[in-house]
Amino acid sequence: MANHLDISGDFPLLARTVNDAPLTYLDNAATTQKPHAVIDAIRHYYEHYNANVHRAAHRLADEATAAMEAARTKVKDLLGAADSREIIFTRGTTESINLVAASLTERLKPGDEVLITEMEHHSNIVPWQMLCQRSGARLVAARVTVHGEIDLDDFHAKLSQRTKLVALAHVSNALGTLNPVEALIQAAHDRGALALIDGAQAVQHLDVDVRRLDCDFYAFSAHKTFGPTGIGALYGKAALLEEMPPYQGGGEMIEHVTIDTTTYNQLPYKFEAGTPNIAGAVGFGTAMDYLRQLPRPELRRREQALLHLALSRLKQIPGVRIIGDPQERSSIISFLIDGGHAHDFGTLLDQQGVAVRTGHHCAMPLMERLGVSGTIRASFALYNSEADVGRLIAGVEKAMEFV
Ligand code: PMP
């Protein structure tokens, strides 16, 4: 692997040790580490131009506002959206989905349906359950096959004139399955349904182009994309967002307020009540810059090579069972080891400095469908190396000596 593709030096945290071993960070689906550039940008903001945005008549506020709006443009550009008004800053994927679910309440009626899949993260299930409780609509889930892919026959059978919205993950956080979202969005539109894509696991790995996908909404989190926690984005088509009522009331989302009534601000501010996460937006924008300047096609090929190396080496270990076998997979491997509980193996790996995640990965319906209570999940990012794969494999082999 060529050296210019080793970007791990950009990430200060990766240099630390854990339990006297070099850190092997394979929990990138939970959150990615942050490059110097992002950390420095946040610090620079607080040291030099911290102020509240949009409202004040002073220099610092102008600078903070400009930085926040520049960040919005960077997110827009990364997603290939047409207009910055289509980018709403939220707390992350979860809030983006909740925003859409809350705002669509009036559109749904008893007899309508929301179609999701069995592989969704809880944050792409529960907000729709709550929407259905409020509106009288019904939540329907397309089945997942034993391979960990959406059962397309079942999806198409469940997509009907009753379906008002389809919501599905671009990439499964539990199995890594890369879903054929473009075709499914098209199918939703053919039935007159809206389509929301949960891109939490996609943006760090794939080139997302919301106009090519033609999705109505796309949600993702900065912290899984080398940016800070506490901020993310919702992309929505402007015409739809214009029609949708606000999500929360408060400062900034208004145009005019009397005691009896309020007129709302224009997009995107209509959906951004209250003081936003300004430092987060600054870091988010810098993370977008960071991603864009990387040789992403080459890094992605390298990341895929690592994934397949790890998969094949894990498969060679007797007693290791890979959970899910999707044809298209992105950077995530779920597995179990005979003779012990996933949590215990997680602890044994941690003792060797290998950070993985264990449990249901906020995808309990998927775990139930696959007949497991949880898995061990190793998830890769652009900065991981062959050495990380080697330490994962050595760690698993050593952990197995304890059971
Ligand atoms: N959807 C998917 C597919 C995820 O992986 C996650 C995070 N694990 C979320 C939604 C929720 O993201 P956040 O917690 O950043 O809002």
Side-chain angles (χ1 to χ4, degrees), residues 263-311:
T263 53
Y264 303 126
N265 203 343
Q266 59 198 12
L267 290 178
Y269 312 109
K270 180 174 88 173
F271 290 106
E272 293 182 355
T275 299
N277 181 353
I278 305 161
V282 167
F284 193 2
T286 309
M288 301 294 96
D289 287 340
Y290 179 78
L291 256 184
R292 279 166 76 92
Q293 56 80 42
L294 291 175
R296 289 216 287 163
E298 286 162 277
L299 282 169
R300 200 164 295 132
R301 276 196 290 281
R302 178 174 173 273
E303 198 186 67
Q304 278 288 313
L306 277 188
L307 174 80
H308 289 289
L309 176 69
L311 256 177

Side-chain angles (χ1 to χ4, degrees), residues 14 21 97 123 279 342:
L14 296 177
I97 297 173
S123 61

